Amino acid sequence: MSDKILPYEERMKWFHEARFGIFVHWGLYSIPARGEWVMFSERIPVDEYAKFADQFNPKRFDADEWAATAKNAGAKYMVLTARHHDGFCLFDSKVSDFTSVKTAAKRDFVREFADACRRAGLKVGLYYSWRDWRFAAHWDAHANPASREAMVNQAREQVNELMSNYGKIDILWYDG
């Protein structure tokens, strides 16, 4: 398949025929191990939550093993949480230091994931939340217009990074 964008009908045809894909909801929230909404639901302050990045160093992460397992299960695609609402990026970002590359792990998990999916013959998907709990605008955009603009600009830049730095991304799944 070429890199040109297929018409909507063709894209949806592929998605419906694929039938089975794997979503991997994984990130910094794995450290407290109480779900991806732990920062929000337990009202963990931004500075306190950020300390988990000093511990997030999954030495046994093996993207090839994940991709092989998905392929063996019959999946046609995998989607990884590149960034959830907590704002922690599993990729290198020029517009944020809150990333797996710039903290303890020193690894670009999106790069490893995308490459492993392609080696396994799977379509590559990324999940991205444009909202970020670290910004005041998340809680009240109207009362914090400068924060809203900064959050939106960061999201635009990061989506551009994801779509430019990792080869063809077959699925971009927005949340927030």
Side-chain angles (χ1 to χ4, degrees):
M1 194 179 292
S2 72
D3 286 341
K4 71 177 185 158
I5 297 175
L6 298 174
Y8 174 80
E9 293 78 17
E10 288 183 51
R11 292 192 317 265
M12 291 311 296
K13 181 178 184 287
W14 171 86
F15 187 73
H16 288 291
E17 288 174 356
R19 296 182 50 121
F20 179 49
I22 305 287
F23 268 65
V24 180
H25 231 311
W26 180 71
L28 186 59
Y29 41 81
S30 300
I31 297 295
R34 295 188 298 276
E36 69 273 12
W37 281 72
V38 66
M39 181 182 174
F40 177 86
S41 60
E42 296 181 18
R43 303 198 189 295
I44 300 173
V46 170
D47 292 342
E48 185 179 330
Y49 187 82
K51 293 175 185 174
F52 290 129
D54 297 332
Q55 302 169 47
F56 187 74
N57 191 6
K59 297 200 183 299
R60 292 180 40 205
F61 172 82
D62 185 337
D64 286 305
E65 183 178 344
W66 286 15
T69 300
K71 183 76 171 183
N72 289 338
K76 304 293 186 216
Y77 64 91
M78 284 182 71
V79 179
L80 176 68
T81 310
R83 190 188 92 172
H84 197 257
H85 312 321
D86 63 1
F88 188 72
C89 301
L90 294 179
F91 60 96
D92 197 11
S93 177
K94 291 180 178 146
V95 296
S96 176
D97 290 333
F98 199 46
T99 77
S100 59
V101 176
K102 297 174 185 169
T103 56
K106 305 282 189 251
R107 291 172 70 181
D108 187 330
F109 294 107
V110 168
R111 165 86 51 226
E112 294 178 42
F113 171 83
D115 291 348
C117 285
R118 289 187 189 102
R119 282 192 294 271
L122 297 169
K123 299 282 187 181
V124 178
L126 298 176
Y127 166 114
Y128 182 88
S129 171
W130 69 271
R131 288 195 171 262
D132 187 330
W133 291 327
R134 298 171 308 135
F135 284 82
H138 170 78
W139 310 104
D140 189 348
H142 297 295
N144 299 285
S147 176
R148 180 188 182 283
E149 184 176 339
M151 183 173 67
V152 169
N153 286 339
Q154 176 185 269
R156 284 184 183 140
E157 290 296 319
Q158 288 180 340
V159 169
N160 187 51
E161 290 169 345
L162 290 170
M163 300 308 289
S164 301
N165 299 339
Y166 297 94
K168 182 181 180 197
I169 303 302
D170 301 292
I171 300 168
L172 180 58
W173 194 281
Y174 285 115
D175 194 6

